[in-house]
């Protein structure tokens, strides 16, 4: 098991290395001058040179890449200066002459626009996105499993057809399209009845109470983000339940005179949830990435909206940092799921 886990972790490192290379090429090597895009077309030469020097854009591309790797690596080699000690947040360091070999947190650089650390910017928005993704996954799981059970138990009835039609609609509708419709319908047309707004973040400012959580602003983006996984969970649960309900032990349970609810929820459901659990583990990471346009549509202050705004302003360090963070979450979740599968079923390791 340990050897299997180590192999998966090494694969994860390889994936992250590939993502880092692609991200660096996209935002540093392809045509375009970040300094010009940051300062504007009317900026003078001296201002542009100052920006390039400040962010290391005046160096050759290979040098920029190796410096970027040095910043992202948990083990870095830097000049022994007070500025670097404050910038890199060393955990432990070894002084070698005028250089420092240090164990540190990955450094995602500074924003071109605000000059703030990208890590600080992301730390303010990532919790909001995690809350949105988690609540969307809970919403999708609870409603999806319920509709899947109802659909399977009432196979070939109008209830089954309605649940299947809803699932097909949920899978077919892109999140940005569904978000616009939901925002307009429930946040504008029916706002007097729903009490919901077309846009708004999880936190709002009250002149008397200060910053407060506004849970109602979470409802519409949560439903929008959860529609696609909900639709898939409905179909997975229905298919798995139909397969389980046809098993011999279910017939035996019926012959014993057990109630319908006992058969469905105690015996059939727990054996039908394996594909649903698999879908949930994969979808949670996808929801973090899929929240980009949903957050932008609803004005929800999260990682997605921050990234889109940064992309509009050519604030590439913020965009690169958010992409690397999402990739890291994907890798970690995939490693955990693979290890859990191997722990539950040793045949996975042999495969």
């Amino acid at each position: 098991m340990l050897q299997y886990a180590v192999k998966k972790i090494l694969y994860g490192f390889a994936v992250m290395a590939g993502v880092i290379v692609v991200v660096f090429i996209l935002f540093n090597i392809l045509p375009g001058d970040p300094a010009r895009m940051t300062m504007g077309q009317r900026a003078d030469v001296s201002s542009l040179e100052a920006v390039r020097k400040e962010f290391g854009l005046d160096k050759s591309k290979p040098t920029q890449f190796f410096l970027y790797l040095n910043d992202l690596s948990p083990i870095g080699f830097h000049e022994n200066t007070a500025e670097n000690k404050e910038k890199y947040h060393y955990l432990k360091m070894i002084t070698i002459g005028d250089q420092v070999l240090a164990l540190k947190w990955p450094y995602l650089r500074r924003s071109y626009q605000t000059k703030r650390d990208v890590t600080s910017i992301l730390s303010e928005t990532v919790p909001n996105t995690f809350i949105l993704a988690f609540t969307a996954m809970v919403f999708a799981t609870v409603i999806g499993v319920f509709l899947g059970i109802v659909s399977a138990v009432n196979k070939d009835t109008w209830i089954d057809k309605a649940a299947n039609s809803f699932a097909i609609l949920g899978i077919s509708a892109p999140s940005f399209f569904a978000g616009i419709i939901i925002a307009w319908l429930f946040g504008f047309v029916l706002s007097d009845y729903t009490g919901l707004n077309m846009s708004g973040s999880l936190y709002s400012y009250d002149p008397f109470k200060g910053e407060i959580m506004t849970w109602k602003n979470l409802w519409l983006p949560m439903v929008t983000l959860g529609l696609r996984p909900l639709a898939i969970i409905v179909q997975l649960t229905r298919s798995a339940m139909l397969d389980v309900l046809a098993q011999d032990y279910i017939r035996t349970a019926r012959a014993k005179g057990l109630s319908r609810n006992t058969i469905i929820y105690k015996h059939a459901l727990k054996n039908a949830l394996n594909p649903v659990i698999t879908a949930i583990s994969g979808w949670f990471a996808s929801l973090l990435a899929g929240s980009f346009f949903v957050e932008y549509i609803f004005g929800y202050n999260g990682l997605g909206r921050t990234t889109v705004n940064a992309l509009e302003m050519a604030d590439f360090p913020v965009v690169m940092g958010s992409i690397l963070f999402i990739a890291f979450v994907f890798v970690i979740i995939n490693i955990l799921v693979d290890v859990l599968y191997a722990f539950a079923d040793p045949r996975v390791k042999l495969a």
Side-chain angles (χ1 to χ4, degrees):
M1 175 60 72
L2 180 60
Q3 184 179 2
Y4 179 80
V6 170
K7 184 170 70 171
K8 289 297 179 181
I9 291 173
L10 291 177
Y11 283 157
F13 275 116
V15 171
M16 284 303 303
V19 172
I20 290 171
V21 171
V22 172
V23 167
F24 183 84
I25 291 174
L26 286 176
F27 294 100
N28 290 274
I29 295 181
L30 293 183
D33 183 1
R36 175 71 67 180
M37 297 173 74
T38 301
M39 298 297 293
Q41 297 299 321
R42 297 184 179 182
D44 57 84
V45 176
S46 59
S47 299
L48 291 175
E49 291 299 325
V51 170
R52 292 190 184 104
K53 185 176 181 180
E54 180 182 3
F55 291 101
L57 301 174
D58 56 335
K59 298 178 174 62
S60 65
K61 296 301 181 183
T63 301
Q64 289 185 44
F65 178 68
F66 284 112
L67 289 176
Y68 190 59
L69 287 181
N70 193 42
D71 287 345
L72 292 178
S73 173
I75 300 176
F77 201 67
H78 309 109
E79 292 184 3
N80 187 12
T81 63
E83 180 183 357
N84 281 344
K85 291 178 182 178
E86 181 180 355
K87 179 171 68 174
Y88 288 109
H89 304 291
Y90 296 140
L91 301 176
K92 192 171 183 178
M93 61 182 184
I94 301 175
T95 303
I96 307 174
D98 60 347
Q99 300 290 319
V100 169
L101 180 64
L103 179 67
K104 62 181 180 61
W105 290 105
Y107 178 58
L108 299 177
R109 303 280 177 94
R110 287 188 301 154
S111 164
Y112 288 161
Q113 301 293 334
T114 64
K115 306 298 190 293
R116 293 177 57 200
D117 280 353
V118 172
T119 303
S120 175
I121 295 173
L122 297 184
S123 66
E124 294 175 357
T125 56
V126 166
N128 293 347
T129 298
F130 265 105
I131 291 174
L132 175 59
F134 177 76
T135 53
M137 199 69 253
V138 171
F139 162 75
T141 303
V142 173
I143 304 299
V145 169
F146 174 75
L147 290 179
I149 293 172
V150 171
S151 178
V153 172
N154 298 277
K155 182 184 177 184
D156 295 331
T157 65
W158 69 269
I159 296 176
D160 183 26
K161 293 177 182 178
N164 277 322
S165 299
F166 173 76
I168 293 172
L169 181 63
I171 294 173
S172 303
S175 295
F176 63 87
F177 174 75
I180 293 172
I181 298 300
I182 290 173
W184 174 76
L185 183 60
F186 295 101
F188 179 71
V189 176
L190 301 177
S191 61
D192 292 338
Y193 304 99
T194 62
L196 302 176
N197 303 317
M198 289 186 66
S199 63
S201 189
L202 184 60
Y203 291 92
S204 59
Y205 183 78
D206 185 280
F208 301 101
K209 299 179 181 179
E211 192 175 55
I212 59 173
M213 296 189 76
T214 311
W215 288 106
K216 69 176 185 178
N217 290 336
L218 183 64
W219 282 97
L220 296 184
M222 176 194 73
V223 171
T224 302
L225 194 60
L227 275 180
R228 288 177 66 83
L230 187 156
I232 291 175
I233 289 173
V234 169
Q235 293 187 328
L236 287 175
T237 305
R238 178 185 182 275
S239 177
M241 282 293 293
L242 288 175
D243 184 58
V244 170
L245 289 174
Q247 299 297 317
D248 291 338
Y249 73 91
I250 297 296
R251 296 192 188 98
T252 303
R254 290 195 182 109
K256 287 181 177 180
L258 296 180
S259 67
R260 185 187 187 190
N261 287 339
T262 301
I263 293 173
I264 292 172
Y265 294 103
K266 187 175 180 180
H267 295 283
L269 181 59
K270 67 178 182 180
N271 293 318
L273 283 180
N274 287 337
V276 177
I277 294 172
T278 303
I280 291 172
S281 62
W283 266 102
F284 183 74
S286 299
L287 290 182
L288 291 177
S291 66
F292 278 43
F293 291 108
V294 172
E295 290 180 358
Y296 191 77
I297 290 170
F298 289 98
Y300 184 89
N301 186 27
L303 179 63
R305 184 186 179 197
T306 299
T307 305
V308 174
N309 288 338
L311 190 58
E312 289 180 343
M313 297 186 294
D315 200 349
F316 294 151
V318 177
V319 179
M320 295 166 69
S322 64
I323 293 173
L324 292 178
F325 174 78
I326 293 295
F328 178 75
V329 171
F330 265 97
V331 168
I332 292 297
I333 289 179
N334 285 331
I335 291 174
L336 291 176
V337 170
D338 287 342
V339 171
L340 288 176
Y341 280 165
F343 181 80
D345 186 356
R347 291 175 298 176
V348 172
K349 291 182 288 184
L350 297 177

